[in-house]
Structures are given as C-alpha cells and as structure tokens.
Amino acid sequence: MAQPPSGRVTVGNLLLAGLTIFLVLWVPLAGVTRRIISHHFSVDLVAPLLDPSLAGPAEKREALARIIASPAYKTHAPSRGIVFVKTHKTGGSTVTSVLHALATAHKLRCAIPPTLENDLRQDKQRDFVRNEIQTSDPTHYGSPFDVWADHVVFDRVLIDEAVPSAEGKVLTITRDPAERMHSWCLFLGCCPADLTNTSVFASFILGANGTRLLNSRHGLCRREQTTFQLVGSGLESNQTQIQGFFSVIRKIASGQWLALVTERFDESMLVLQHEYGLHPLDITYVKMKVNRPPVPPDDPELLEAAEKLVRRTNFHDQQIHNHANLSLETKLRALYGVRGNKREVALEKFRKLNSIVHEACLWDEEKDSEVGKWCAEKAMDDTVWLRHHRKSSLQRLNETLADLRQLPEE
C-alpha cells in the first residue's frame, strides 16, 4: 500500500476529499442511526449509584447489587448483535472486556475462539466457527452468535453467518498510527527494549532499522496493520487492497461501521451506548494492557519527525483514523448538539459512574455473590476471560451426561 508522494494531487486524494465532504454533509441529514434510544446519557437507570448520600464503597456496592439484580437490568440486552473487529494496540482489549462482561451479564451467546488470532478467510477456521467453536453458552457450539468480541481479520462471514443479528453493522477501534506503533513495538519487541524513552524510539524509527520496520508488509510487525485487519478479504493484489480500503472508509462514513477512537475513549463509549442501546453499567470499563507512561523526549523535534514518518508510511491507517475521528464527532454532535454543554455533562456523569463502579467493585466481601461475579467479569482481560469460560471437551461431555441422567425416564 504505497503512500502517495507528498505534494502531489492524486485520484486517491481527490476521492478521500470527496468522502470527507460526504461524511460531514450527508451523515447528519440521513440520521446517525435508527437505534438511538435518547439524546442524553441515561442517568435514570443508574440514579441510585449516583446518589451523593452514598457514604462509602459498601453502600455503593449494595446499590450496584440492587441494580444488576433488577429485571430492568437483566433484560436490557443490546438492540442488535455485536461484531467487534478487534485491532492491535488500539485499546481493543478494553472494549473486548466490556463486550465479554456484557455478554455474560445478559446471557448472550459469545464466541470463544481457540486462538487470539483469527482469520475467517481460511476455510479451516471458517468451518470451525460454523460447527465447532465453543460459546459462552455451554450447551451450544458453532454459529450463530450474539457477540464476536476478539481479534479477527474482517470477512463477510462475520456478519452473514457468525452474527447475523448484527444486521451488517461492524464495530471497531482505531488509533493514531504513531501512538499505536510506539505501543506495538514495545509489546511485540519489534523495536529496542527501552521504548519507554521516546528519544530512543524516535532515533530508531529515523534510522536504518526503523526504515526496514516501516517497509515491512509481513508478520505482526507489518505496517498498515489496522488496514490489514479491517480490509480483510482481497489483500492479494494492490487493486483489491485499494478497493477494500475505500470500502472501509465508505462504511465508516455511512454509519454501517462504528469506528471508536482510542484517544477519545470515553466519548466513544457514549456513542457505543447509543448505537447499540446499551445499559449505562455495560459501558463502564477497566483499562486493560496499558503501558506505563513514556519518558518525555530529550528532543521534541526528533520525536515529531519520527511520528510524521510513521503516519506517512502508514498512510491508509492514518486516513481510516482521520475518518473515524470525523465520524465520531458527527455522531456526538447529532446526539448532544453543537451548542451548550450537554456533551460535557454526559461525559462527567459517565466518568463519575465509572469511578463509583470501580470503588464498589474493589470492596472485597462476598466475591461469590451476584455482584461479586459481575465485578470479576468486568476485571478480566480477553485472555483471562477466554480461559475462564473455555471448557475442555471432557468437561462439557461430563456436564452433558450429568444433565441426561437427570432427565425423567419415559
């Protein structure tokens, strides 16, 4: 996926400009989504938790327990199925933990893939998903599911067969390529070990080894990693790559895909709630796999040059991120308006709710209670959740035999 030379007007750039105009002008007129349930953060559903008279974590935990035990919460399932195309080092693990906990809380059928990397373009994996994959419902194997929440390369089988109740809608998340590359290098060891020092990272990127990394098209350290995961089918030739890239941009622009933005995570959660009709408790989150803050650079100009180079060589990732930002802003304006402070008020209430849930869940009594289990689900990252809910074939066979023994004889 070659990056257009700087300063030249290309057909691709003109098409991107046209799509940007389309996104700004058409989406608000067409309606952001037919599933929006209100224009404000739904405070009424969690009012007992936001009561300022709650003195400490024990009282907050009791209030939380009452809400999650209520029929109003238990029956508040998403308005459609959820397909999440989880991308690498974008905050996707945090979104996955939200979706995993949501599926458990509302007894939804969530796919439990056998590996952390899934590519349904491969016939073997596709057949496995159709017939054999475990789900959070221990009595059910194979598609269809209510939720797909883990790493996957996009393919239409996800929305046509795996989660048809998603009605063609796809959820994903994007991040500034320069920020993602720094986190990615640190996580995978593609760069020097001391990447918490941004000056070391910048010097590496601008050197010969950095050039080799940024030109890589294969393996987990490849450039354009987000585009690779979102384009999915048709990566075999340059022409189909470009067609797939523009298709992703159009889907984000039209609202067919909801692209969250890492740098605007809380705003993204508000839009996620509205687009899928979620209960406010189900968008509260615990941050997963967060690196410690990097050391500020000795030479800010050197870091700026490195970041510009990363964005240039990840041109398609950058364009997808730009359009995700624009789409998110368009949706937020449709929800909360341009004037006034409705958005800020909603964000403040959501952040307060998230903080209260954290405090209530840290209260360490009755871990085996309903609220204790709910809190435990919230705190699991993707690998822990999958391991916790995945059962061996022998375990499932024994459970099935035990159930059969309890059936009345004819």
Side-chain angles (χ1 to χ4, degrees):
M1 295 185 183
Q3 171 252 331
S6 176
R8 287 181 54 188
V9 176
T10 66
V11 174
N13 283 337
L14 290 174
L15 286 171
L16 282 173
L19 277 171
T20 301
I21 295 170
F22 163 82
L23 179 57
V24 172
L25 298 179
W26 183 84
V27 172
L29 295 175
V32 172
T33 173
R34 61 188 178 87
R35 297 282 184 162
I36 290 176
I37 57 175
S38 74
H39 290 290
H40 303 286
F41 183 64
S42 308
V43 175
D44 293 345
L45 296 172
V46 289
L49 262 180
L50 297 173
D51 184 348
S53 68
L54 295 178
E59 291 185 10
K60 292 171 183 176
R61 190 177 180 92
E62 289 176 7
L64 175 61
R66 287 193 295 270
I67 293 175
I68 65 173
S70 68
Y73 175 72
K74 290 181 181 294
T75 59
H76 199 122
S79 57
R80 54 158 58 92
I82 301 175
V83 170
F84 179 50
V85 178
K86 181 184 177 187
T87 50
H88 288 290
K89 303 311 294 177
T90 57
S93 291
T94 302
V95 178
T96 291
S97 73
V98 166
L99 299 179
H100 280 163
L102 178 154
T104 306
H106 299 290
K107 300 189 184 307
L108 304 177
R109 189 175 290 161
C110 184
I112 302 179
T115 67
L116 294 179
E117 298 293 333
N118 302 281
D119 187 346
L120 304 190
R121 299 174 302 164
Q122 300 176 15
D123 291 339
K124 186 176 180 180
Q125 285 203 25
R126 189 184 298 227
D127 290 341
F128 182 81
V129 165
R130 284 172 176 156
N131 304 308
E132 300 179 53
I133 192 171
Q134 293 186 17
T135 74
S136 52
D137 175 357
T139 66
H140 184 85
Y141 289 83
S143 60
F145 320 112
D146 300 310
V147 178
W148 179 287
D150 292 277
H151 279 303
V152 68
V153 175
F154 177 75
D155 187 274
R156 281 204 60 88
V157 72
L158 280 167
I159 51 179
D160 292 341
E161 298 183 36
V163 191
S165 59
E167 301 172 5
K169 194 173 189 70
V170 170
L171 173 68
T172 191
I173 183 167
T174 74
R175 186 179 185 182
D176 174 2
E179 295 289 334
R180 195 195 71 81
M181 176 64 76
H182 191 184
S183 179
W184 189 232
C185 277
L186 186 63
F187 181 71
L188 280 184
C190 304
C191 302
D194 188 18
L195 280 180
T196 52
N197 186 323
T198 50
S199 294
V200 173
F201 172 73
S203 298
F204 170 82
I205 289 296
L206 295 171
N209 290 329
T211 300
R212 280 193 288 273
L213 175 68
L214 293 176
N215 286 329
S216 173
R217 295 175 178 268
H218 304 286
L220 290 177
C221 293
R222 66 165 63 85
R223 70 181 187 186
E224 306 275 33
Q225 175 68 35
T226 298
T227 301
F228 169 80
Q229 290 184 269
L230 299 185
V231 169
S233 296
L235 288 173
E236 292 75 23
S237 71
N238 187 61
Q239 183 63 32
T240 49
Q241 285 177 0
I242 297 301
Q243 290 173 352
F245 163 70
F246 281 113
S247 175
V248 169
I249 295 291
R250 285 193 297 270
K251 289 168 184 174
I252 293 172
S254 68
Q256 186 179 356
W257 284 27
L258 172 59
L260 310 180
V261 176
T262 310
E263 296 86 353
R264 304 173 67 180
F265 197 85
D266 287 350
E267 289 177 306
S268 293
M269 290 294 101
L270 292 181
V271 171
L272 176 66
Q273 182 207 2
H274 285 283
E275 295 258 330
Y276 287 91
L278 304 181
H279 192 284
L281 282 180
D282 290 330
I283 60 168
T284 58
Y285 64 91
V286 177
K287 290 182 180 179
M288 301 292 174
K289 300 179 182 177
V290 178
N291 296 325
R292 61 182 184 269
V295 177
D298 300 325
D299 185 349
E301 292 184 359
L302 187 72
L303 178 61
E304 183 180 357
E307 290 178 339
K308 284 182 178 179
L309 178 60
V310 171
R311 294 185 186 111
R312 253 194 338 267
T313 52
N314 288 269
F315 173 79
H316 300 89
D317 279 11
Q318 183 65 51
Q319 292 303 321
I320 288 173
H321 184 64
N322 289 346
H323 281 79
N325 254 306
L326 185 56
S327 177
L328 181 68
E329 181 62 27
T330 301
K331 292 174 186 292
L332 286 164
R333 291 185 180 188
L335 288 171
Y336 300 108
V338 179
R339 299 178 181 177
N341 65 342
K342 291 180 180 178
R343 186 192 307 190
E344 288 71 22
V345 169
L347 279 170
E348 181 181 354
K349 289 177 179 177
F350 169 55
R351 286 165 179 159
K352 182 178 180 182
L353 175 66
N354 207 46
S355 176
I356 290 172
V357 168
H358 277 233
E359 188 177 354
C361 283
L362 286 174
W363 186 250
D364 60 359
E365 295 188 6
E366 300 179 357
K367 290 184 178 179
D368 292 330
S369 65
E370 184 176 16
V371 66
K373 292 176 181 177
W374 186 90
C375 289
E377 291 281 338
K378 279 282 183 186
M380 293 182 193
D381 72 10
D382 49 353
T383 53
V384 173
W385 189 92
L386 291 172
R387 189 164 57 245
H388 178 74
H389 287 273
R390 186 184 293 124
K391 297 182 178 180
S392 69
S393 299
L394 181 59
Q395 284 178 294
R396 293 197 174 214
L397 177 61
N398 287 336
E399 289 175 0
T400 303
L401 290 173
D403 291 339
L404 289 173
R405 291 189 192 103
Q406 294 176 12
L407 292 176
E409 294 183 3
E410 295 184 357

